[in-house]
Structures are given as C-alpha cells and as structure tokens.
Amino acid sequence: MKVLVNLYDWESPRFCSSETDLQEGDKVIIKGEFGNSLGTVVMSGMETTEEPEQPILRKATKRDSDVFEKNKEKKKEIIEICRKEVKRLGLEMKLVDVAISLDGSNIVVVFSAEERVDFRELVKNLSRIFHRSVKMHQIGSRDEARKSGGCGVCGRELCCVRFLKSLPSISVEMARLQQIAHRGSERISGQCGRLLCCLSYEARQYQEMLEGLPEIHSQVKTKEGKGEVLELNVIKQEARVKLEDGKIVTVKKKDIK
C-alpha cells in the first residue's frame, strides 16, 4: 500500500510504503535515513508509479507522540548551542532547523549556505556537547522558504507548503512565454529569492497558444497594411501592430500574415 505522509521534522510530504491499511490522519512511524520519524498520513491508497521513499514501520502510539513533544521542547536549546558554535568557528552557513530522531540517538542539523562548507569540526564539537550522533543536512533557498512558510505575492500560503511535493525547475523562458519577464526579477521571484513556482503552471498552455502568433517587433501584413508587432495578447489571440503610417491597430491572429 502506498501512502503520502507529512513528516513533522522535514520540509515536504513523502511517498511511503505500508504493509497495513492506513487512513487519512493516522499518525505513523517512518524508518528514515537519520532514524525513525513521526508523521501523519495525508493520503492513503495512492495510485502512482513513483517508488516509495521510505517504509512505514507501524502506527504511532501515545508514547511516540509524547517523546516527539519532549524532543520538540529541546530543539530551541539545541539550535541556540549550534548557532554559537557556528559563530565561534566562523562558518558561512545559516541554521534553519534541527530534527531529533524518536529514540534520541541522532540529531540532524538543517542548514543553508551559498557555497560548500567544511563542517567537520562543527560536527565533532556538537557530538561532544550533545553526547549523540550529529549529522548535517544542507538545503537550498527554496526548501528553506518551504520550511519557514508564509504567504506569496498572491496573498495565499506558499504553494511549496500547501501542496507541491517536489519543486519544479523554473526558467526565465517561462516568464517570457507569459510576457511578464519585463517586470524584473524582484516581481517574479518568490519568498526564496528564486523564480515563482507558479510560472510553471501555465507555461505549456501559453507555449501552445503562442503557436501561429508573430514575434514582438517582427514585421507582419494585415488587412490595413504592413506594420511592426508591438504587443501580443495571448489569451485573446490578438496583436497590437503599428502600421507604416503610424496608426496602431489590434489584429486577430487569423488576420495576420
């Protein structure tokens, strides 16, 4: 059985495999790379070709939830100690979060950085301080925004938080197809500083609708004469054309040659 599980300690839902029937809302224990984690079933009985990322060991008990809450209380203290060590060692990295395995044997420090960071000394020091295994997990700026949460320019909760399982690859070409590249990078970038994820939602449809429409600044023939294309309205399948006599007209796609 394939289920989609939202892990409390990580930034995105995971497809997991389960040998028992589970319902939406069930709390489960997942065997992960850094130890066992607590999660909640978002969807069960998934029909997908995607291979499960992690196995579900069992349903969570009240004791599991209590342990998770106790670990959660320790996180603030652990993060503060980690920050002091990072500052003392002069490392160029930003701490984002800390995850503690349910059995308490592992601590995973989640961080972001612009370049590669040699954190070997940091790991050694933190392992000595906490008396347990410490692992570092680097994430990008988009994953950092997903973990921090917030609202986008549309006023709604960030897509990466609400429903995006994997973050799509976004290019400036997508903005160009939708004729918003000229707005500047700041207006088409999200909270993470990268291009908006929603640019990918309609890119394919815009590409299809652009077929047969002329390029901006290209020369075309209309019923009223030759002219230069100033602007396209992809939705209405129209073009604004400046004729040779200076007159500006709006021409339907079918009337452009």
Side-chain angles (χ1 to χ4, degrees):
M1 180 181 186
K2 294 180 181 179
V3 295
L4 186 63
V5 178
N6 188 31
L7 297 180
Y8 294 122
D9 283 332
W10 301 101
E11 68 282 356
S12 62
R14 308 281 178 90
F15 278 117
C16 300
S17 60
S18 173
E19 295 182 0
T20 59
D21 289 337
L22 295 169
Q23 303 298 320
E24 184 179 333
D26 284 346
K27 289 186 177 181
V28 294
I29 302 300
I30 295 172
K31 182 179 180 181
E33 181 183 354
F34 304 115
N36 295 344
S37 300
L38 180 69
T40 300
V41 175
V42 180
M43 296 180 72
S44 62
M46 301 290 297
E47 292 185 6
T48 175
T49 56
E50 192 169 340
E51 288 300 315
E53 298 175 54
Q54 294 163 309
I56 292 176
L57 299 177
R58 55 180 171 81
K59 283 188 177 182
T61 63
K62 184 180 183 301
R63 182 177 179 279
D64 293 322
S65 297
D66 291 342
V67 170
F68 177 81
E69 289 302 320
K70 286 180 181 178
N71 286 342
K72 194 175 176 180
E73 291 173 6
K74 297 176 186 175
K75 282 174 61 172
K76 191 173 181 181
E77 178 187 352
I78 293 173
I79 289 174
E80 189 58 35
I81 292 172
C82 290
R83 282 186 177 139
K84 287 179 180 178
E85 278 300 302
V86 167
K87 186 176 181 181
R88 189 179 69 81
L89 294 172
L91 299 177
E92 293 294 325
M93 59 194 296
K94 178 183 177 183
L95 295 185
V96 177
D97 199 3
V98 164
I100 307 170
S101 63
L102 275 181
D103 60 8
S105 62
N106 292 313
I107 292 176
V108 182
V109 180
V110 184
F111 73 98
S112 62
E114 293 296 326
E115 299 177 354
R116 285 181 62 87
V117 179
D118 184 352
F119 47 69
R120 287 174 294 182
E121 188 69 20
L122 174 65
V123 170
K124 187 167 67 175
N125 292 349
L126 293 178
S127 297
R128 187 180 68 250
I129 294 170
F130 299 129
H131 303 289
R132 63 187 86 182
S133 173
V134 175
K135 295 179 174 62
M136 306 298 292
H137 181 65
Q138 185 171 358
I139 61 175
S141 58
R142 297 174 78 192
D143 287 310
E144 182 184 348
R146 167 185 265 171
K147 210 156 182 53
S148 301
C151 293
V153 292
C154 58
R156 306 186 70 178
E157 187 179 27
L158 297 176
C159 292
C160 57
V161 177
R162 286 178 60 221
F163 63 87
L164 286 180
K165 181 181 180 292
S166 59
L167 298 176
S169 178
I170 313 297
S171 66
V172 177
E173 177 64 14
M174 292 178 179
R176 191 191 69 79
L177 286 172
Q178 295 168 69
Q179 299 177 302
I180 55 175
H182 63 279
R183 295 182 183 178
S185 60
E186 288 187 4
R187 293 186 63 187
I188 59 175
S189 296
Q191 205 165 287
C192 58
R194 301 290 189 265
L195 291 172
L196 292 163
C197 288
C198 56
L199 289 175
S200 67
Y201 299 167
E202 298 176 354
R204 183 175 59 81
Q205 287 85 346
Y206 268 87
Q207 190 169 28
E208 291 173 357
M209 288 189 292
L210 277 167
E211 290 180 9
L213 283 170
E215 293 279 343
I216 293 178
H217 302 308
S218 64
Q219 296 294 316
V220 296
K221 292 180 181 179
T222 73
K223 291 179 178 179
E224 298 187 50
K226 295 181 180 179
E228 178 187 1
V229 177
L230 300 179
E231 186 181 333
L232 295 176
N233 188 322
V234 181
I235 303 297
K236 290 186 176 181
Q237 295 285 279
E238 296 175 344
R240 288 184 72 227
V241 179
K242 184 177 181 180
L243 302 176
E244 292 177 335
D245 61 5
K247 181 181 177 182
I248 296 177
V249 296
T250 299
V251 187
K252 291 286 186 183
K253 174 183 171 180
K254 61 183 178 64
D255 297 324
I256 298 174
K257 298 180 180 180

